Amino acid sequence: MTVELISVGTEILMGSIVNTNAAFLSAGCASIGLSIYNQQVVGDNPDRLSDAINLALGRADTVIITGGLGPTEDDITMQTAASVMGKGLVEDAHTREHIGNVLKNSIYKDNITDNNWKQAMVPEGAIVIDNRNGTAPGIIMERGDKALILIPGPPNELEVMFRKDIKPYLMARNPKAIFSRTIKLCGIGESQAETKIIDLIDAQDNPTVATYAKTGEVQIRITASADTEDAAKELVKPVAKEIKSRFREDVYTVDADCNLEDVVVEMLDKKGLKIVTAESCTGGLLAGRLVNVSGASEVFSQGFVTYSNKAKRKALSVDKAILKKYGAVSKETAKEMAKGAILASDAEVGVSVTGVAGPEPSEGKPVGLVYIGCYYRDKVTVKEFMFRGNRQKIREQAVVMALDMVRRRIIEDDK
């Protein structure tokens, strides 16, 4: 089954916001074996949106439109989509009640304007989907073998609605059962990963195998179709087993919804360990990734952001002589930072990051040079990395590699 995405919003066309919704929906559709060949972005103009919808319906089985479902005058998606499908708008009593309940419990409860009720006007005969995190409902309209789906634009509303309601609907519409497994790797590049499984990629039919590059990691998606989901799972199973055997410790999870920091926090928790971070160029990003995980309070001791040399000396007891001789960006300083963090906390695992994120070289050292240290079991391991990209990209890659170092050190200890 083919799906086409239409993102509505002049702010997207103007570059005022990044269209993360399209990326999320593309990945979500691909994960259940749906094909997306085209995407469109349309401003808040009913004529151009009508043209986009008709074009999409002419070449896709299902069209998903995001955005333009708000209460203001420039939110024209609902009425435009209904018009294209030949449907009038009627008030949905349940949606009106839902909107009222949301607004009464919001900061706007004393100033509810009439235009809010616009969102209760839905196409006749449509499937109406409650918005768990907002007021605008989701809409599904069917015409023959075609479906037109409307989803609110705010990501916190869109993502929940897609997972809970739209994804199951799409899976039910697909004539074949689809099953996908995602194998996530860290510490290996996409080209290297592809080379190790190129025979599987070249021979693919059902299931299919594809690699995807993420910041600091690679994902391998295996997707099979069959008459039943169980049959599709059986097709995926031997391929997944073979891929895991080839990459071994580079595999950090086979759960598509699990991230590297989730794995690290779980590993620390299982072993009853606490972790402390000591960061320079990453400026707290590493600690932030860890505390984003539910349950991190059980394993995260504290974090030090020691950007200046003075802070490194004062908070982490880094020897002044080492800073003077080797510089802040050095193997020696990374080692001292990791040890100092352990001594200044109650943690058993310490991880340090120091480097040059750019945009200019520092201490005569090139942009992208990063040293990461990991203290565990009275031993400090330090690795040198040379990352590419802009300042933010370098910092993000450093965080991923720091998390991966912790993961691998714990694995080594279990051997």
Side-chain angles (χ1 to χ4, degrees):
M1 186 171 76
T2 58
V3 176
E4 182 157 339
L5 306 180
I6 301 176
S7 303
V8 179
T10 301
E11 67 277 12
I12 301 174
L13 281 175
M14 299 295 289
S16 300
I17 63 171
V18 177
N19 191 3
T20 57
N21 287 342
F24 172 83
L25 291 173
S26 294
C29 289
S31 71
I32 54 175
L34 305 180
S35 300
I36 296 181
Y37 300 131
N38 297 283
Q39 296 183 18
Q40 301 183 65
V41 178
V42 185
D44 303 306
N45 180 282
D47 292 334
R48 286 192 283 273
L49 179 55
S50 293
D51 291 342
I53 295 171
N54 282 315
L55 177 63
L57 287 170
R59 61 191 182 190
D61 303 304
T62 301
V63 178
I64 300 176
I65 305 178
T66 60
L69 297 177
T72 60
E73 191 172 330
D74 63 345
D75 291 306
I76 46 83
T77 298
M78 187 75 76
Q79 54 267 45
T80 304
S83 177
V84 171
M85 298 293 278
K87 297 178 181 294
L89 295 179
V90 296
E91 184 174 89
D92 182 69
H94 173 74
T95 300
R96 184 181 175 97
E97 182 182 5
H98 171 75
I99 293 169
N101 289 334
V102 172
L103 294 176
K104 286 174 185 176
N105 292 295
S106 74
I107 60 174
Y108 308 108
K109 62 183 178 181
D110 297 323
N111 190 29
I112 300 175
T113 54
D114 288 341
N115 58 355
N116 284 287
W117 309 118
K118 171 186 174 182
Q119 293 177 307
M121 302 298 292
V122 304
E124 293 179 287
I127 300 170
V128 182
I129 302 170
D130 281 346
N131 188 333
R132 294 171 174 81
N133 291 330
T135 53
I139 297 293
I140 299 175
M141 289 180 276
E142 297 176 336
R143 187 176 68 190
D145 60 351
K146 303 284 186 176
L148 184 61
I149 301 173
L150 314 182
I151 312 179
N156 69 316
E157 300 175 26
L158 175 143
E159 292 176 11
V160 172
M161 189 176 290
F162 180 82
R163 289 193 182 103
K164 299 288 187 180
D165 305 290
I166 306 302
K167 188 174 179 179
Y169 171 81
L170 293 173
M171 292 174 69
R173 270 179 62 81
N174 204 8
K176 285 282 190 178
I178 301 293
F179 179 76
S180 287
R181 168 141 297 166
T182 300
I183 299 175
K184 297 186 179 184
L185 316 174
C186 201
I188 186 170
E190 185 182 20
S191 58
Q192 185 183 359
E194 184 186 70
T195 300
K196 293 185 75 169
I197 58 169
I198 193 65
D199 58 317
L200 301 177
I201 294 173
D202 288 344
Q204 67 181 324
D205 179 25
N206 185 28
T208 59
V209 180
T211 61
Y212 304 88
K214 300 284 185 178
T215 300
E217 66 177 75
V218 177
Q219 297 184 6
I220 301 174
R221 182 176 293 130
I222 313 161
T223 305
S225 64
D227 292 332
T228 66
E229 185 176 355
D230 286 341
K233 285 182 180 179
E234 288 303 311
L235 291 172
V236 167
K237 192 180 295 182
V239 179
K241 183 178 180 181
E242 176 62 23
I243 290 173
K244 286 191 288 184
S245 72
R246 295 188 189 189
F247 289 99
R248 298 182 181 276
E249 291 175 5
D250 291 334
V251 177
Y252 75 83
T253 187
V254 294
D255 183 346
D257 296 323
C258 186
N259 297 314
L260 183 57
E261 58 267 30
D262 298 315
V263 171
V264 171
V265 168
E266 183 180 4
M267 293 175 78
L268 291 166
D269 189 46
K270 282 184 177 180
K271 294 185 74 69
L273 300 171
K274 286 189 177 293
I275 188 170
V276 59
T277 59
E279 304 177 64
S280 184
C281 64
T282 47
L285 283 180
L286 174 57
R289 282 280 291 266
L290 287 167
V291 299
N292 275 341
V293 180
S294 176
S297 58
E298 298 298 318
V299 303
F300 185 73
S301 173
Q302 59 185 304
F304 295 94
V305 178
T306 54
Y307 209 69
S308 67
N309 283 355
K310 183 177 180 180
K312 291 178 179 66
R313 296 196 306 270
K314 186 175 180 180
L316 303 174
S317 302
V318 176
D319 194 323
K320 187 175 182 179
I322 286 179
L323 289 168
K324 185 175 182 180
K325 182 176 181 179
Y326 300 103
V329 181
S330 65
K331 178 179 180 179
E332 291 77 11
T333 296
K335 183 177 181 178
E336 289 290 302
M337 288 173 65
K339 288 169 60 179
I342 288 289
L343 294 173
S345 70
D346 62 346
E348 294 84 17
V349 180
V351 58
S352 63
V353 185
T354 181
V356 185
E360 301 296 331
S362 177
E363 299 179 344
K365 294 168 184 177
V367 173
L369 177 64
V370 176
Y371 291 93
I372 300 174
C374 183
Y375 178 104
Y376 184 49
R377 300 290 192 191
D378 297 322
K379 177 185 175 183
V380 183
T381 301
V382 179
K383 290 187 178 181
E384 177 183 305
F385 297 89
M386 192 67 207
F387 300 122
R388 306 296 178 189
N390 60 24
R391 182 178 177 84
Q392 184 64 18
K393 200 76 170 179
I394 289 168
R395 295 169 72 228
E396 289 173 355
Q397 291 175 85
V399 168
V400 172
M401 290 301 103
L403 290 169
D404 193 50
M405 276 189 68
V406 173
R407 180 182 71 89
R408 290 175 187 268
R409 281 297 308 273
I410 294 175
I411 290 172
E412 289 171 9
D413 183 65
D414 286 340
K415 289 182 177 180

PDB file of all heavy atoms in Angstrom, residues 367-379:
ATOM      1  N   VAL A 367      39.311  21.286  14.939  1.00  0.00           N
ATOM      2  CA  VAL A 367      37.889  21.146  15.230  1.00  0.00           C
ATOM      3  C   VAL A 367      37.471  19.687  15.015  1.00  0.00           C
ATOM      4  O   VAL A 367      37.812  19.067  14.007  1.00  0.00           O
ATOM      5  CB  VAL A 367      37.055  22.069  14.307  1.00  0.00           C
ATOM      6  CG1 VAL A 367      35.561  21.798  14.491  1.00  0.00           C
ATOM      7  CG2 VAL A 367      37.374  23.525  14.584  1.00  0.00           C
ATOM      8  N   GLY A 368      36.749  19.146  15.971  1.00  0.00           N
ATOM      9  CA  GLY A 368      36.277  17.755  15.875  1.00  0.00           C
ATOM     10  C   GLY A 368      37.083  16.780  16.707  1.00  0.00           C
ATOM     11  O   GLY A 368      36.645  15.638  16.916  1.00  0.00           O
ATOM     12  N   LEU A 369      38.250  17.214  17.202  1.00  0.00           N
ATOM     13  CA  LEU A 369      39.064  16.334  18.047  1.00  0.00           C
ATOM     14  C   LEU A 369      38.421  16.244  19.431  1.00  0.00           C
ATOM     15  O   LEU A 369      38.222  17.259  20.103  1.00  0.00           O
ATOM     16  CB  LEU A 369      40.487  16.870  18.170  1.00  0.00           C
ATOM     17  CG  LEU A 369      41.428  16.077  19.098  1.00  0.00           C
ATOM     18  CD1 LEU A 369      41.666  14.666  18.564  1.00  0.00           C
ATOM     19  CD2 LEU A 369      42.749  16.822  19.295  1.00  0.00           C
ATOM     20  N   VAL A 370      38.106  15.034  19.854  1.00  0.00           N
ATOM     21  CA  VAL A 370      37.445  14.821  21.145  1.00  0.00           C
ATOM     22  C   VAL A 370      38.074  13.617  21.846  1.00  0.00           C
ATOM     23  O   VAL A 370      38.346  12.588  21.205  1.00  0.00           O
ATOM     24  CB  VAL A 370      35.924  14.575  20.979  1.00  0.00           C
ATOM     25  CG1 VAL A 370      35.270  14.260  22.324  1.00  0.00           C
ATOM     26  CG2 VAL A 370      35.254  15.793  20.351  1.00  0.00           C
ATOM     27  N   TYR A 371      38.299  13.768  23.136  1.00  0.00           N
ATOM     28  CA  TYR A 371      38.761  12.652  23.968  1.00  0.00           C
ATOM     29  C   TYR A 371      37.654  12.287  24.956  1.00  0.00           C
ATOM     30  O   TYR A 371      37.071  13.167  25.593  1.00  0.00           O
ATOM     31  CB  TYR A 371      40.033  13.025  24.735  1.00  0.00           C
ATOM     32  CG  TYR A 371      41.234  13.197  23.840  1.00  0.00           C
ATOM     33  CD1 TYR A 371      41.574  14.450  23.335  1.00  0.00           C
ATOM     34  CD2 TYR A 371      42.026  12.101  23.487  1.00  0.00           C
ATOM     35  CE1 TYR A 371      42.674  14.618  22.508  1.00  0.00           C
ATOM     36  CE2 TYR A 371      43.130  12.260  22.658  1.00  0.00           C
ATOM     37  CZ  TYR A 371      43.441  13.516  22.171  1.00  0.00           C
ATOM     38  OH  TYR A 371      44.520  13.675  21.344  1.00  0.00           O
ATOM     39  N   ILE A 372      37.381  11.003  25.062  1.00  0.00           N
ATOM     40  CA  ILE A 372      36.354  10.522  25.984  1.00  0.00           C
ATOM     41  C   ILE A 372      36.981   9.506  26.919  1.00  0.00           C
ATOM     42  O   ILE A 372      37.650   8.567  26.475  1.00  0.00           O
ATOM     43  CB  ILE A 372      35.181   9.882  25.219  1.00  0.00           C
ATOM     44  CG1 ILE A 372      34.538  10.911  24.277  1.00  0.00           C
ATOM     45  CG2 ILE A 372      34.129   9.335  26.196  1.00  0.00           C
ATOM     46  CD1 ILE A 372      33.460  10.342  23.383  1.00  0.00           C
ATOM     47  N   GLY A 373      36.767   9.723  28.205  1.00  0.00           N
ATOM     48  CA  GLY A 373      37.313   8.812  29.205  1.00  0.00           C
ATOM     49  C   GLY A 373      36.213   8.103  29.967  1.00  0.00           C
ATOM     50  O   GLY A 373      35.145   8.667  30.205  1.00  0.00           O
ATOM     51  N   CYS A 374      36.481   6.862  30.348  1.00  0.00           N
ATOM     52  CA  CYS A 374      35.502   6.091  31.130  1.00  0.00           C
ATOM     53  C   CYS A 374      36.223   5.376  32.265  1.00  0.00           C
ATOM     54  O   CYS A 374      37.112   4.556  32.031  1.00  0.00           O
ATOM     55  CB  CYS A 374      34.780   5.082  30.250  1.00  0.00           C
ATOM     56  SG  CYS A 374      33.488   4.159  31.128  1.00  0.00           S
ATOM     57  N   TYR A 375      35.842   5.718  33.488  1.00  0.00           N
ATOM     58  CA  TYR A 375      36.410   5.091  34.681  1.00  0.00           C
ATOM     59  C   TYR A 375      35.458   3.997  35.153  1.00  0.00           C
ATOM     60  O   TYR A 375      34.268   4.233  35.360  1.00  0.00           O
ATOM     61  CB  TYR A 375      36.592   6.135  35.779  1.00  0.00           C
ATOM     62  CG  TYR A 375      37.126   5.578  37.084  1.00  0.00           C
ATOM     63  CD1 TYR A 375      38.454   5.778  37.445  1.00  0.00           C
ATOM     64  CD2 TYR A 375      36.312   4.854  37.960  1.00  0.00           C
ATOM     65  CE1 TYR A 375      38.957   5.265  38.647  1.00  0.00           C
ATOM     66  CE2 TYR A 375      36.797   4.331  39.152  1.00  0.00           C
ATOM     67  CZ  TYR A 375      38.122   4.544  39.485  1.00  0.00           C
ATOM     68  OH  TYR A 375      38.621   4.037  40.663  1.00  0.00           O
ATOM     69  N   TYR A 376      36.014   2.793  35.355  1.00  0.00           N
ATOM     70  CA  TYR A 376      35.204   1.696  35.889  1.00  0.00           C
ATOM     71  C   TYR A 376      36.151   0.619  36.410  1.00  0.00           C
ATOM     72  O   TYR A 376      37.136   0.270  35.768  1.00  0.00           O
ATOM     73  CB  TYR A 376      34.289   1.121  34.800  1.00  0.00           C
ATOM     74  CG  TYR A 376      33.343   0.042  35.281  1.00  0.00           C
ATOM     75  CD1 TYR A 376      32.570   0.219  36.425  1.00  0.00           C
ATOM     76  CD2 TYR A 376      33.209  -1.156  34.592  1.00  0.00           C
ATOM     77  CE1 TYR A 376      31.692  -0.754  36.868  1.00  0.00           C
ATOM     78  CE2 TYR A 376      32.325  -2.144  35.019  1.00  0.00           C
ATOM     79  CZ  TYR A 376      31.574  -1.940  36.160  1.00  0.00           C
ATOM     80  OH  TYR A 376      30.711  -2.912  36.604  1.00  0.00           O
ATOM     81  N   ARG A 377      35.854   0.116  37.580  1.00  0.00           N
ATOM     82  CA  ARG A 377      36.651  -0.948  38.210  1.00  0.00           C
ATOM     83  C   ARG A 377      38.126  -0.549  38.339  1.00  0.00           C
ATOM     84  O   ARG A 377      39.040  -1.300  37.991  1.00  0.00           O
ATOM     85  CB  ARG A 377      36.545  -2.245  37.401  1.00  0.00           C
ATOM     86  CG  ARG A 377      35.138  -2.798  37.250  1.00  0.00           C
ATOM     87  CD  ARG A 377      34.592  -3.350  38.543  1.00  0.00           C
ATOM     88  NE  ARG A 377      33.376  -4.125  38.327  1.00  0.00           N
ATOM     89  CZ  ARG A 377      32.577  -4.540  39.299  1.00  0.00           C
ATOM     90  NH1 ARG A 377      32.863  -4.235  40.556  1.00  0.00           N
ATOM     91  NH2 ARG A 377      31.490  -5.225  39.032  1.00  0.00           N
ATOM     92  N   ASP A 378      38.345   0.693  38.821  1.00  0.00           N
ATOM     93  CA  ASP A 378      39.695   1.199  39.065  1.00  0.00           C
ATOM     94  C   ASP A 378      40.546   1.290  37.804  1.00  0.00           C
ATOM     95  O   ASP A 378      41.789   1.269  37.877  1.00  0.00           O
ATOM     96  CB  ASP A 378      40.429   0.332  40.099  1.00  0.00           C
ATOM     97  CG  ASP A 378      39.734   0.372  41.458  1.00  0.00           C
ATOM     98  OD1 ASP A 378      39.246   1.459  41.831  1.00  0.00           O
ATOM     99  OD2 ASP A 378      39.665  -0.677  42.119  1.00  0.00           O
ATOM    100  N   LYS A 379      39.896   1.368  36.659  1.00  0.00           N
ATOM    101  CA  LYS A 379      40.629   1.496  35.404  1.00  0.00           C
ATOM    102  C   LYS A 379      39.984   2.587  34.553  1.00  0.00           C
ATOM    103  O   LYS A 379      38.762   2.666  34.472  1.00  0.00           O
ATOM    104  CB  LYS A 379      40.604   0.161  34.643  1.00  0.00           C
ATOM    105  CG  LYS A 379      41.277   0.214  33.279  1.00  0.00           C
ATOM    106  CD  LYS A 379      41.111  -1.109  32.543  1.00  0.00           C
ATOM    107  CE  LYS A 379      41.671  -1.035  31.131  1.00  0.00           C
ATOM    108  NZ  LYS A 379      41.443  -2.291  30.377  1.00  0.00           N
TER     109      LYS A 379
END
